[in-house]
């Protein structure tokens, strides 16, 4: 079998089997892209934000005409998979409250009291449901768990990014009622963000939040949002999982990325856009814009590939995940790795301009709809401590330069350790 970890370090010295073809580039004139923010963005109403006495943040962005339905998003920071001590208890708690678990938070779709009673009283049923879900996880979902596990394998018990997002079949079976109940023990007011969107009253939202969360204690210290006591240590490493019945390979490659508050976070988001994504099932087919994806599509090296940039309170992950025939992995990495490395040396003006337009489109799309806008606002308050307006985000993207990308790529990719995960045949 091929040593894929060694391959990623030596592939630049090996001649690929497939032939190199010229990259297709559509014409994108930089002059057509204006740095001026559109009026529907700059004139959009600002969010109303209040803070309860114990630190709970309440924000709203309601329709001026009072039309439509109202939506509420509640984000609990400090409760998520990285804080599991057994594995899966945060996912069980989130499920019992009708929410979704993240690595550093739980997201709820309504205001409800913070109690583990529903989880502890129905623990066996919740564990059974989660075990069934884990059994049906896609290889891509498994891949991201394995990538976090190997990249951050030395995290302390009770605070490790290496924990699986929803645990494993073995750990879920071991979760007790006390394990689930203990998760809420350290939650205080500063961990709670309540956001209302659509139709509603900010004053009423504040009153409801006060009733549900006003009894929580305030923060015991003055630690800033997004800060942690000890930064997670990234470890260059690899893990390989053998499935005899798997006739394709799923591979993930990750470098240490940037935290939410790191100045490199926005350049890395742009770098992810530059690398792009491709799937055979997409309507575009081979007509993708990103150079890396063009080459992968042209030579039929993978059925799908996607770059990502993930941020957490203390660190991040930047890389790509792909599904490909196992006999084409050497050719796939031959084209992928130079596209990563060239980010440290600069890309064409056309690519750069197009990527900035794409990134702004993605940002706007993430706020498309009242529910999505509420989730984004809750995330911003929970990670950077405030609501960041669309005008400010557009301006930040416009302000990015090629030097910003080259500097970020130099820090993250050039001569840096990486973590690699592979699921394939032996």
């Amino acid at each position: 079998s091929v040593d894929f970890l060694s391959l990623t370090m030596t592939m630049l010295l090996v001649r690929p089997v497939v032939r190199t073809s010229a990259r297709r580039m559509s014409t994108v004139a930089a002059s057509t892209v204006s740095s001026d923010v559109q009026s529907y963005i700059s004139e959009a109403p600002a969010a109303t934000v209040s803070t309860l006495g114990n630190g709970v943040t309440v924000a709203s962005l309601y329709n001026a005409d009072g039309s439509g339905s109202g939506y509420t998003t509640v984000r609990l920071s400090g409760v998520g998979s990285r804080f599991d001590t057994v594995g899966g208890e945060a996912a069980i708690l989130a499920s019992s409250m009708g929410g979704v678990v993240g690595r550093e938070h739980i997201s709820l779709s309504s205001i409800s009291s913070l109690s583990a009673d529903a989880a502890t009283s129905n623990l066996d049923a919740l564990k059974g449901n989660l075990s069934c879900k884990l059994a049906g996880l896609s290889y891509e979902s498994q891949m991201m768990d394995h990538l976090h596990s190997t990249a951050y394998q030395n995290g302390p018990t009770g605070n490790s990014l290496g924990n699986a997002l929803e645990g494993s079949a073995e750990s879920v079976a071991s979760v007790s009622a006390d394990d689930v109940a203990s998760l809420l023990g350290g939650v205080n007011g500063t961990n709670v963000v309540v956001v209302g969107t659509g139709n509603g009253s900010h004053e009423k939202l504040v009153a409801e939040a006060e009733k549900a969360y006003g009894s929580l204690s305030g923060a015991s210290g003055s630690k800033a949002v997004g800060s942690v006591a000890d930064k997670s240590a990234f470890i260059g490493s690899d893990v390989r999982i053998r499935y005899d019945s798997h006739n394709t390979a799923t591979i993930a490659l990750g470098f240490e990325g940037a935290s939410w508050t790191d100045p490199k976070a926005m350049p890395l988001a742009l770098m992810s856009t530059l690398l792009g994504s491709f799937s055979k099932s997409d309507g575009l087919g081979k007509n993708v814009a990103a150079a890396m994806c063009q080459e992968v599509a042209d030579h039929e090296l993978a059925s799908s590939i996607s770059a990502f940039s993930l941020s957490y309170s203390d660190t991040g992950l930047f890389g790509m995940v792909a599904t490909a025939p196992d006999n084409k992995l050497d050719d796939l990495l031959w084209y992928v790795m130079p596209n990563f490395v060239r980010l440290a040396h600069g890309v064409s003006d056309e690519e750069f301009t197009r990527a900035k337009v794409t990134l702004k489109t993605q940002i706007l799309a993430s706020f498309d709809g009242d529910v999505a806008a509420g989730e984004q606002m809750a995330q911003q308050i929970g990670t950077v401590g405030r609501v960041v307006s669309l005008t400010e985000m557009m301006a930040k993207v416009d302000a990015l330069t090629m030097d910003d990308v080259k500097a970020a790529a130099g820090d993250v990719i050039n001569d840096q350790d990486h973590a690699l995960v592979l699921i394939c045949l032996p």
Side-chain angles (χ1 to χ4, degrees):
S1 61
V2 180
D3 186 335
F4 294 102
L5 181 60
S6 300
L7 176 61
T8 61
M9 305 302 293
T10 61
M11 47 72 199
L12 292 177
L13 302 178
V14 182
R15 177 175 296 276
V17 175
V18 295
R19 296 177 179 178
T20 304
S21 65
R23 293 174 178 160
R24 296 189 313 275
M25 283 292 176
S26 60
T27 301
V28 177
S31 60
T32 64
V33 181
S34 172
S35 61
D36 295 331
V37 177
Q38 298 296 322
S39 60
Y40 68 85
I41 298 175
S42 61
E43 297 174 5
T48 303
V49 182
S50 301
T51 304
L52 304 186
N54 60 353
V56 174
T57 301
V58 183
S60 66
L61 188 61
Y62 288 127
N63 300 329
D65 59 3
S67 63
S69 302
Y71 304 92
T72 304
T73 299
V74 178
R75 181 184 174 100
L76 306 178
S77 300
V79 183
S81 65
R82 77 175 292 170
F83 305 105
D84 286 347
T85 56
V86 178
E89 56 263 46
I92 291 173
L93 177 64
S95 178
S96 72
M97 301 172 72
V100 179
V101 68
R103 297 195 184 274
E104 295 186 311
H105 74 284
I106 286 177
S107 182
L108 309 175
S109 58
S110 64
I111 295 177
S112 59
S113 60
L114 301 185
S115 171
D117 292 346
T120 55
S121 61
N122 299 285
L123 186 60
D124 289 340
L126 291 168
K127 288 166 66 174
N129 292 339
L130 182 55
S131 295
C132 291
K133 181 180 180 181
L134 291 172
L137 279 182
S138 66
Y139 288 118
E140 288 77 9
S141 297
Q142 295 180 45
M143 184 66 66
M144 296 311 295
D145 271 347
H146 289 305
L147 186 62
H148 282 80
S149 177
T150 190
Y152 296 107
Q153 55 189 277
N154 287 344
T157 300
N159 185 359
S160 174
L161 276 176
N163 292 340
L165 182 61
E166 296 179 304
S168 64
E170 295 76 15
S171 66
V172 168
S174 302
V175 172
S176 68
D178 289 340
D179 295 326
V180 178
S182 66
L183 287 174
L184 294 175
V187 175
N188 59 59
T190 60
N191 298 128
V192 182
V193 177
V194 180
V195 176
T197 54
N199 179 27
S201 163
H202 182 77
E203 291 71 23
K204 183 179 179 181
L205 184 67
V206 171
E208 292 176 349
E210 179 71 48
K211 181 179 179 180
Y213 310 121
S215 61
L216 292 174
S217 63
S220 58
S222 58
K223 187 177 72 172
V225 171
S227 65
V228 290
D230 297 302
K231 183 177 182 296
S232 299
F234 181 91
I235 298 177
S237 52
D238 79 305
V239 60
R240 310 165 199 199
I241 299 94
R242 167 178 168 170
Y243 284 126
D244 289 343
S245 59
H246 198 37
N247 59 3
T248 59
T250 306
I251 185 170
L253 178 73
F255 296 86
E256 184 175 16
S259 69
W260 289 110
T261 55
D262 192 317
K264 293 194 297 290
M266 189 62 79
L268 287 177
L270 184 60
M271 288 162 54
S272 175
T273 305
L274 280 163
L275 293 171
S277 63
F278 159 75
S279 174
K280 280 188 174 181
S281 61
D282 288 343
L284 285 175
K286 296 181 179 181
N287 301 307
V288 289
M292 178 184 75
C293 294
Q294 286 179 13
E295 293 172 339
V296 170
D298 279 342
H299 301 301
E300 300 182 348
L301 301 176
S303 58
S304 66
I305 185 170
S306 179
F308 61 81
S309 181
L310 306 175
S311 292
Y312 301 108
S313 58
D314 57 336
T315 187
L317 275 176
F318 176 82
M320 70 88 191
V321 60
T323 299
D326 59 352
N327 62 349
K328 290 188 176 182
L329 286 180
D330 54 349
D331 298 330
L332 173 66
L333 291 176
W334 171 270
Y335 284 100
V336 166
M337 294 310 296
N339 276 286
F340 271 72
V341 172
R342 77 187 185 96
L343 294 174
H345 303 283
V347 298
S348 70
D349 291 340
E350 182 184 355
E351 288 178 275
F352 188 73
T353 300
R354 181 172 53 219
K356 291 174 74 170
V357 173
T358 302
L359 179 56
K360 288 194 286 186
T361 302
Q362 292 172 350
I363 292 173
L364 291 174
S366 69
F367 283 82
D368 186 16
D370 293 328
V371 175
E375 292 173 346
Q376 289 296 316
M377 289 167 60
Q379 175 181 281
Q380 290 174 349
I381 296 172
T383 55
V384 300
R386 64 186 180 91
V387 175
V388 184
S389 69
L390 285 172
T391 301
E392 181 180 346
M393 284 189 281
M394 297 298 103
K396 286 184 175 181
V397 175
D398 282 328
L400 289 174
T401 65
M402 191 79 74
D403 287 339
D404 295 328
V405 169
K406 290 163 65 175
D411 290 342
V412 173
I413 299 172
N414 197 34
D415 199 27
Q416 299 298 316
D417 289 339
H418 66 267
L420 183 142
V421 180
L422 177 70
I423 297 178
C424 73
L425 289 168

